[in-house]
Coordinates of all heavy atoms in Angstrom, one line a residue:
W40 N -79.1 -12.8 -7.7 CA -78.4 -11.7 -8.3 C -79.4 -11.0 -9.3 O -80.1 -11.7 -10.0 CB -77.2 -12.3 -9.2 CG -76.1 -12.6 -8.3 CD1 -75.7 -13.9 -7.9 CD2 -75.2 -11.7 -7.7 NE1 -74.6 -13.8 -7.1 CE2 -74.3 -12.5 -6.9 CE3 -75.1 -10.3 -7.7 CZ2 -73.3 -11.9 -6.2 CZ3 -74.0 -9.8 -7.0 CH2 -73.2 -10.5 -6.2
H41 N -79.3 -9.7 -9.3 CA -80.1 -9.0 -10.3 C -79.3 -9.1 -11.6 O -78.1 -9.4 -11.5 CB -80.2 -7.5 -9.9 CG -81.0 -7.3 -8.7 ND1 -82.4 -6.9 -8.8 CD2 -80.8 -7.3 -7.4 CE1 -82.9 -6.8 -7.6 NE2 -81.9 -7.1 -6.7
P42 N -79.9 -8.8 -12.7 CA -79.1 -9.0 -13.9 C -77.8 -8.1 -13.9 O -77.8 -7.0 -13.4 CB -80.1 -8.4 -15.0 CG -81.4 -8.7 -14.4 CD -81.3 -8.5 -12.9
T43 N -76.8 -8.7 -14.4 CA -75.5 -8.1 -14.3 C -75.1 -7.7 -15.7 O -75.4 -8.3 -16.7 CB -74.4 -9.2 -13.9 OG1 -74.8 -9.6 -12.6 CG2 -73.0 -8.6 -13.8
G44 N -74.5 -6.5 -15.8 CA -74.1 -6.0 -17.2 C -73.3 -4.8 -17.2 O -72.8 -4.3 -16.1
L45 N -73.2 -4.2 -18.3 CA -72.4 -3.0 -18.5 C -73.4 -1.8 -18.8 O -74.3 -2.0 -19.6 CB -71.5 -3.1 -19.7 CG -70.5 -2.0 -19.9 CD1 -69.4 -2.1 -18.8 CD2 -69.8 -1.9 -21.2
R46 N -73.2 -0.7 -18.0 CA -74.1 0.5 -18.2 C -73.1 1.5 -18.8 O -72.0 1.7 -18.2 CB -74.7 1.0 -16.9 CG -75.8 0.1 -16.4 CD -76.6 0.8 -15.3 NE -75.8 1.3 -14.2 CZ -76.4 1.7 -13.0 NH1 -77.7 1.7 -12.9 NH2 -75.6 2.1 -12.0
I47 N -73.6 2.2 -19.8 CA -72.9 3.3 -20.4 C -73.8 4.5 -20.4 O -74.8 4.6 -21.1 CB -72.4 3.0 -21.8 CG1 -71.4 1.8 -21.8 CG2 -71.7 4.3 -22.4 CD1 -71.0 1.3 -23.1
F48 N -73.5 5.5 -19.5 CA -74.3 6.8 -19.5 C -73.6 7.7 -20.5 O -72.4 7.9 -20.5 CB -74.2 7.4 -18.1 CG -74.9 6.6 -17.1 CD1 -74.3 5.6 -16.4 CD2 -76.3 6.8 -16.9 CE1 -74.9 4.8 -15.5 CE2 -77.0 6.0 -15.9 CZ -76.3 5.0 -15.2
T49 N -74.4 8.2 -21.5 CA -73.8 8.9 -22.6 C -74.6 10.0 -23.2 O -75.8 10.0 -23.0 CB -73.5 7.8 -23.8 OG1 -72.8 8.5 -24.8 CG2 -74.8 7.2 -24.3
N50 N -74.0 10.9 -23.9 CA -74.7 11.9 -24.7 C -74.6 11.6 -26.2 O -75.0 12.3 -27.0 CB -74.1 13.3 -24.4 CG -74.4 13.8 -23.0 OD1 -75.5 13.6 -22.5 ND2 -73.5 14.4 -22.4
R51 N -73.9 10.5 -26.5 CA -73.8 10.0 -27.9 C -75.2 9.3 -28.2 O -75.9 8.9 -27.4 CB -72.7 9.0 -28.0 CG -71.4 9.5 -27.8 CD -70.4 8.3 -28.0 NE -69.0 8.8 -27.7 CZ -68.0 8.5 -28.5 NH1 -68.1 7.8 -29.6 NH2 -66.8 8.9 -28.1
D52 N -75.4 9.2 -29.5 CA -76.5 8.4 -30.0 C -76.2 7.0 -29.6 O -75.2 6.4 -29.9 CB -76.5 8.6 -31.6 CG -77.7 7.8 -32.2 OD1 -78.0 6.7 -31.7 OD2 -78.3 8.3 -33.2
P53 N -77.2 6.3 -29.0 CA -77.0 4.9 -28.6 C -76.7 4.0 -29.7 O -75.9 3.0 -29.5 CB -78.4 4.5 -28.0 CG -79.0 5.8 -27.5 CD -78.5 6.9 -28.5
N54 N -77.1 4.3 -31.0 CA -76.7 3.5 -32.1 C -75.2 3.6 -32.4 O -74.6 2.6 -32.9 CB -77.5 3.9 -33.3 CG -79.0 3.6 -33.2 OD1 -79.4 2.5 -32.7 ND2 -79.8 4.5 -33.7
E55 N -74.6 4.7 -32.1 CA -73.2 4.9 -32.3 C -72.5 4.0 -31.2 O -71.4 3.4 -31.6 CB -72.8 6.4 -32.1 CG -71.3 6.6 -32.3 CD -70.9 8.1 -32.1 OE1 -71.8 8.9 -31.8 OE2 -69.7 8.3 -32.1
V56 N -73.0 4.0 -30.0 CA -72.3 3.1 -29.0 C -72.4 1.7 -29.4 O -71.4 1.0 -29.4 CB -73.1 3.3 -27.6 CG1 -72.5 2.3 -26.6 CG2 -72.9 4.7 -27.1
S57 N -73.5 1.2 -29.9 CA -73.7 -0.1 -30.5 C -72.7 -0.4 -31.6 O -72.1 -1.5 -31.7 CB -75.1 -0.4 -30.9 OG -76.0 -0.3 -29.9
R58 N -72.6 0.6 -32.5 CA -71.6 0.4 -33.6 C -70.2 0.3 -33.1 O -69.4 -0.6 -33.6 CB -71.8 1.6 -34.6 CG -70.9 1.4 -35.9 CD -71.0 2.7 -36.7 NE -70.6 3.9 -36.0 CZ -69.3 4.2 -35.6 NH1 -68.3 3.4 -35.9 NH2 -69.1 5.4 -35.0
I59 N -69.8 1.2 -32.2 CA -68.4 1.1 -31.7 C -68.1 -0.2 -31.0 O -67.1 -0.8 -31.2 CB -68.2 2.3 -30.7 CG1 -68.2 3.6 -31.5 CG2 -66.9 2.1 -29.9 CD1 -68.2 4.9 -30.6
L60 N -69.1 -0.7 -30.2 CA -68.9 -2.0 -29.5 C -69.2 -3.2 -30.4 O -68.8 -4.3 -30.0 CB -69.7 -2.0 -28.3 CG -69.4 -1.0 -27.2 CD1 -70.4 -1.1 -26.0 CD2 -68.0 -1.1 -26.7
D61 N -69.8 -3.0 -31.5 CA -70.3 -4.1 -32.3 C -71.1 -5.1 -31.5 O -70.9 -6.3 -31.4 CB -69.1 -4.9 -33.0 CG -69.6 -5.9 -34.0 OD1 -70.7 -5.7 -34.6 OD2 -68.9 -6.9 -34.3
L62 N -72.1 -4.5 -30.7 CA -72.9 -5.2 -29.8 C -74.2 -4.4 -29.6 O -74.2 -3.2 -29.4 CB -72.1 -5.3 -28.5 CG -72.7 -6.1 -27.3 CD1 -72.7 -7.6 -27.7 CD2 -71.9 -5.9 -26.1
E63 N -75.3 -5.2 -29.6 CA -76.6 -4.6 -29.4 C -76.9 -4.5 -27.9 O -76.6 -5.5 -27.2 CB -77.7 -5.3 -30.1 CG -77.6 -5.2 -31.6 CD -77.8 -3.7 -32.1 OE1 -78.7 -3.0 -31.6 OE2 -76.9 -3.3 -32.9

Side-chain angles (χ1 to χ4, degrees):
W40 281 103
H41 292 265
T43 301
L45 190 73
R46 288 195 303 193
I47 301 175
F48 295 89
T49 184
N50 290 323
R51 294 179 185 228
D52 181 321
N54 292 321
E55 182 182 358
V56 173
S57 297
R58 184 188 55 73
I59 290 168
L60 294 178
D61 191 27
L62 185 67
E63 290 301 314

